[in-house]
Amino acid sequence: MEAIITGGGDGPCNRPPEKRKSDQRPYKGIRMRKWGKWVAEIREPNKRSRIWLGSYSTPVAAARAYDTAVYYLRGPTARLNFPELLGSDVALGELSAASIRKKAIEVGSKVDAETSCTSLHRSGTRVPGSGLKACWFQEKPDLNVKPEPEENDGDYW
């Protein structure tokens, strides 16, 4: 007995051409992993290989890493996510995939650190004389002074 396969159903060919929410990417060259991390990668020109640009906690950091790599690969005509944030000290030249990856990861990591610092500002301590709060890595304690015990509002036990 032969099975007859008919059209219809909910297969990918029969779905309306609408985009799923998960397919909508806020920036070019990035995507979101299932667990919420944002990753960036780019194809090398005239090759099938990709340059891995890292994994980041924000889409902006991943997009900035992509922008750095695409600028080094394609020059000033590259289509960037943030053209206004391109550093003026960028020197173009023949760079290897490894050095492009390194520069992109530096930029993305810096943006990620600044973003996490900004989120820590909401609960951190204030920097004297500025309206800003310090991040844990910006505080520089004097290592020659014995630390004072922290004030307790009550007993922990």
Side-chain angles (χ1 to χ4, degrees), residues 4-157:
I4 300 174
I5 301 173
T6 61
D10 245 1
C13 296
N14 297 322
R15 289 190 188 140
E18 61 189 37
K19 284 193 170 193
R20 293 179 297 164
K21 287 184 180 181
S22 62
D23 284 346
Q24 295 174 353
R25 297 180 184 147
Y27 301 107
K28 184 171 174 48
I30 68 169
R31 60 190 164 89
M32 190 167 115
R33 295 260 192 210
K34 290 184 223 176
W35 49 89
K37 286 281 190 175
W38 292 90
V39 297
E41 60 186 352
I42 189 170
R43 283 199 185 275
E44 292 185 75
N46 305 319
K47 294 183 181 178
R48 296 188 70 182
S49 57
R50 296 177 188 225
I51 302 174
W52 178 254
L53 304 175
S55 177
Y56 305 96
S57 52
T58 63
V60 174
R64 292 285 307 276
Y66 173 83
D67 280 1
T68 303
V70 77
Y71 186 78
Y72 279 111
L73 286 171
R74 296 186 174 90
T77 60
R79 294 179 63 187
L80 305 173
N81 293 308
F82 302 102
E84 69 279 1
L85 298 178
L86 183 65
S88 60
D89 60 342
V90 176
L92 292 175
E94 286 294 315
L95 292 175
S96 67
S99 52
I100 289 172
R101 178 185 304 114
K102 181 179 176 186
K103 290 182 180 290
I105 289 173
E106 284 174 9
V107 171
S109 298
K110 182 179 177 185
V111 173
D112 239 1
E114 289 170 354
T115 305
S116 64
C117 179
T118 303
S119 64
L120 287 175
H121 280 200
R122 295 182 185 129
S123 62
T125 58
R126 295 219 174 257
V127 175
S130 72
L132 303 175
K133 298 177 184 178
C135 291
W136 65 271
F137 57 83
Q138 290 176 333
E139 296 174 3
K140 296 180 180 174
D142 186 359
L143 299 176
N144 297 318
V145 176
K146 183 178 178 183
E148 296 292 325
E150 294 181 7
E151 295 179 24
N152 290 338
D153 292 340
D155 290 336
Y156 288 118
W157 319 116

